[in-house]
Amino acid sequence: MEEKEISKAVIKRLPRYYRYLGELMESGVERISSNELSSKMKVTASQIRQDLNNFGGFGQQGYGYNVKHLYTEIGKILGLDKNHNVIIVGAGNLGQAIANYGAFEKRGFIIKGIFDVNPRLQGVTVRGIEIRMIDELEQFIKDNNVQIAALTIPKTKAAEMAELLVKYGVKAIWNFAHTDLNLPDDILIENVHLSESLMRLSYNITRYEKERLNENDN
Amino acid sequence: MEEKEISKAVIKRLPRYYRYLGELMESGVERISSNELSSKMKVTASQIRQDLNNFGGFGQQGYGYNVKHLYTEIGKILGLDKNHNVIIVGAGNLGQAIANYGAFEKRGFIIKGIFDVNPRLQGVTVRGIEIRMIDELEQFIKDNNVQIAALTIPKTKAAEMAELLVKYGVKAIWNFAHTDLNLPDDILIENVHLSESLMRLSYNITRYEKERLNENDN
DNA sequence: AATCTATTGTTATTATTCTAACAATTTATA
DNA sequence: TATAAATTGTTAGAATAATAACAATAGATT
């Protein structure tokens, strides 16, 4: 029963495969070879084949991959065939942006509730979901079997809130606060650090400007 | 003048170093060793030293690193000491969330304008910046020397809008649309694919649940 | 039915990234 | 001032990841 550990690099690429396959499916493509997919996605065909083979043989020699089948299988690997109950903690623009993102529920993420500290938001609804106050949190998490919390509050409050959420039974946190959360090992954390993304862009712009300067010197 | 190429893996870590150093600075810490930083950040000290040495020797043997100095130097490497003019294209929740993120300007990103197609948003202001219509885009980009556009519109419109932006002179795109943009090589793209992040979380939850099941079997 | 072509699954090779080790050097201590 | 302790910068080695190569196999063609 020895399942070999799949590397993070592979996991990182799976959602992108899933996206491309979804698009192919929508445009009616039935089969695709690793080579065709390779040129669309700008990764090597070799990598595609090796990535997929971590999970078993989804293709057929001489034929390629059946788009629909592969899409479904990757979906299963990613756990998109199961439902997860989610709350959003922090009903600011970012929290509301997430709440309004429709494809969400399509992927099995059911938004059960939205929470905030600001009493002026009490009762306001976003996409049919009413914003609740933090004091309802504990009961709500238990009543609704909430497994995931999207954390969209300022970093100063994030650590404290994360601990509270875990105490109340949340098992995974999708963290948008600009800080790292230190939580028990059995709690899953997926960070979205927008500021870091922006800094990488800044680095690349700077490097690119420098390169152009050097080119002009030669 | 042979500057060795810095690997992407290193660049990815720089913003995180920057964040930790900033926090240390704020709490008044003056010096730090790679070992101390290592235990705070949960990376190896070896990696920290090697990463930093890609850019030159910022530390001193027997002493460690001066926090303020290192912070400043990494800031320079990331290009945070220069200003960049930004527009936000798409004034939905996500666009507004970005506009409202204060630390932004602190890092040298000056939000010059916000644009949308929805005429009902015309004239509405976000953080003192008035929302403009797309027909003003070309003139605005030229008048304000806009280099970066944050693209926060639905994926169906994203490719077309990106091409327009590039045509009008934008040099870099911070892409929040759930699609890959195909643009000329000299245009920089930094993708923030939230749906992929969510799928990774989903994968990890699924895998974790499976592991727990297996443990119970043994 | 036999042969050819396409294309996977898998193994081998190469490249990249990370970690460990240690000599060089600075600061602190006696 | 000499010695010990701390800690970097850098080189060497180990581990991981990516690419290339190719044998196996299915489908297409004659």
Side-chain angles (χ1 to χ4, degrees):
Chain A
M1 194 60 202
E2 32 169 329
E3 269 177 57
K4 68 165 172 289
E5 184 77 14
I6 310 294
S7 89
K8 270 194 182 176
V10 175
I11 304 310
K12 239 181 119 83
R13 286 191 291 268
L14 280 186
R16 189 153 176 267
Y17 293 136
Y18 190 74
R19 177 154 54 84
Y20 273 83
L21 288 164
E23 283 169 13
L24 285 166
M25 217 172 59
E26 273 173 27
S27 47
V29 177
E30 277 188 16
R31 66 184 246 192
I32 194 156
S33 70
S34 56
N35 240 305
E36 287 172 90
L37 195 56
S38 155
S39 60
K40 275 190 201 299
M41 296 187 61
K42 290 170 188 166
V43 295
T44 65
S46 208
Q47 184 163 68
I48 293 174
R49 293 203 298 277
Q50 218 178 35
D51 280 355
L52 296 178
N53 269 73
N54 278 296
F55 305 97
F58 300 124
Q60 268 189 313
Q61 282 142 328
Y63 173 90
Y65 299 88
N66 178 289
V67 172
K68 202 166 191 168
H69 177 240
L70 188 52
Y71 179 80
T72 310
E73 289 301 318
I74 295 181
K76 278 188 209 162
I77 293 165
L78 291 171
L80 305 178
D81 56 337
K82 302 197 189 70
N83 282 346
H84 297 284
N85 296 330
V86 183
I87 55 171
I88 296 170
V89 179
N93 287 122
L94 193 52
Q96 295 199 22
I98 291 170
N100 280 310
Y101 176 49
F104 225 68
E105 311 233 329
K106 208 175 67 187
R107 302 272 186 263
F109 296 86
I110 317 295
I111 299 173
K112 289 284 179 176
I114 306 177
F115 288 82
D116 205 293
V117 286
N118 185 349
R120 287 198 301 183
L121 289 172
Q122 184 154 33
V124 174
T125 64
V126 179
R127 221 160 166 259
I129 304 159
E130 136 189 44
I131 297 174
R132 292 162 200 274
M133 295 295 101
I134 298 295
D135 55 11
E136 295 181 54
L137 207 46
E138 181 166 18
Q139 197 58 47
F140 192 92
I141 288 173
K142 281 164 189 167
D143 289 351
N144 291 276
N145 186 29
V146 172
Q147 299 145 77
I148 305 175
L151 194 60
T152 54
I153 61 176
K155 71 170 174 186
T156 46
K157 311 277 180 192
E160 192 190 353
M161 179 57 75
E163 278 175 33
L164 212 58
L165 288 165
V166 169
K167 193 175 128 198
Y168 295 159
V170 161
K171 290 294 171 208
I173 292 184
W174 198 21
N175 175 40
F176 286 79
H178 302 256
T179 187
D180 292 335
L181 301 173
N182 281 101
L183 296 171
D185 282 348
D186 63 333
I187 304 299
L188 293 168
I189 301 172
E190 169 77 21
N191 289 308
V192 180
H193 287 316
L194 293 184
S195 62
E196 296 188 2
S197 167
L198 191 62
M199 289 187 216
R200 282 194 289 277
L201 183 59
S202 177
Y203 172 85
N204 286 320
I205 290 173
T206 308
R207 190 193 52 167
Y208 183 70
E209 281 168 359
K210 215 185 278 175
E211 260 171 36
R212 298 237 316 196
L213 245 80
N214 286 346
E215 273 168 26
N216 291 346
D217 288 352
N218 299 347
Chain B
M1 195 59 205
E2 32 169 331
E3 270 177 56
K4 68 166 172 288
E5 186 76 13
I6 309 294
S7 90
K8 270 195 182 175
V10 174
I11 303 310
K12 241 182 118 80
R13 285 191 291 269
L14 281 186
R16 190 151 176 269
Y17 292 136
Y18 190 73
R19 177 154 54 83
Y20 273 82
L21 287 164
E23 282 169 14
L24 285 168
M25 217 171 58
E26 274 174 25
S27 47
V29 178
E30 278 189 13
R31 66 184 246 192
I32 195 158
S33 71
S34 57
N35 240 305
E36 287 173 89
L37 195 55
S38 155
S39 60
K40 275 189 201 298
M41 297 188 61
K42 289 169 188 167
V43 295
T44 64
S46 209
Q47 186 164 66
I48 294 174
R49 293 203 297 277
Q50 219 178 34
D51 281 355
L52 296 178
N53 268 75
N54 279 294
F55 305 97
F58 300 126
Q60 266 189 312
Q61 281 142 328
Y63 173 90
Y65 298 88
N66 177 290
V67 172
K68 201 164 193 171
H69 177 240
L70 188 54
Y71 179 80
T72 310
E73 288 302 317
I74 295 181
K76 278 187 207 163
I77 293 165
L78 291 170
L80 305 178
D81 55 336
K82 300 197 191 68
N83 282 346
H84 296 286
N85 296 330
V86 183
I87 55 172
I88 296 170
V89 179
N93 287 123
L94 193 52
Q96 294 199 22
I98 291 169
N100 280 310
Y101 176 48
F104 225 68
E105 311 233 329
K106 207 175 68 187
R107 303 271 187 265
F109 295 88
I110 316 294
I111 300 173
K112 289 284 182 178
I114 306 176
F115 288 81
D116 206 291
V117 286
N118 185 348
R120 285 199 302 182
L121 288 173
Q122 184 154 33
V124 174
T125 62
V126 179
R127 221 161 168 261
I129 303 159
E130 131 189 49
I131 298 174
R132 292 161 201 274
M133 295 295 102
I134 298 295
D135 55 9
E136 294 180 52
L137 206 48
E138 180 166 18
Q139 197 59 47
F140 192 92
I141 288 172
K142 282 165 187 165
D143 289 351
N144 291 275
N145 186 29
V146 172
Q147 298 146 76
I148 306 175
L151 195 59
T152 54
I153 62 176
K155 71 170 173 187
T156 46
K157 310 278 180 190
E160 192 190 353
M161 179 56 75
E163 278 176 33
L164 213 57
L165 288 165
V166 169
K167 194 175 128 198
Y168 295 160
V170 160
K171 290 295 171 206
I173 292 185
W174 198 21
N175 176 40
F176 286 78
H178 302 256
T179 187
D180 292 335
L181 302 173
N182 281 101
L183 296 172
D185 282 349
D186 63 334
I187 304 299
L188 294 169
I189 302 173
E190 168 77 22
N191 289 307
V192 180
H193 288 316
L194 293 185
S195 63
E196 296 188 3
S197 167
L198 191 62
M199 289 186 214
R200 282 194 288 276
L201 183 60
S202 176
Y203 172 85
N204 287 320
I205 290 172
T206 308
R207 191 193 52 166
Y208 183 70
E209 281 168 359
K210 215 185 279 175
E211 261 172 36
R212 297 235 318 195
L213 246 81
N214 286 347
E215 272 168 28
N216 291 345
D217 288 352
N218 298 349

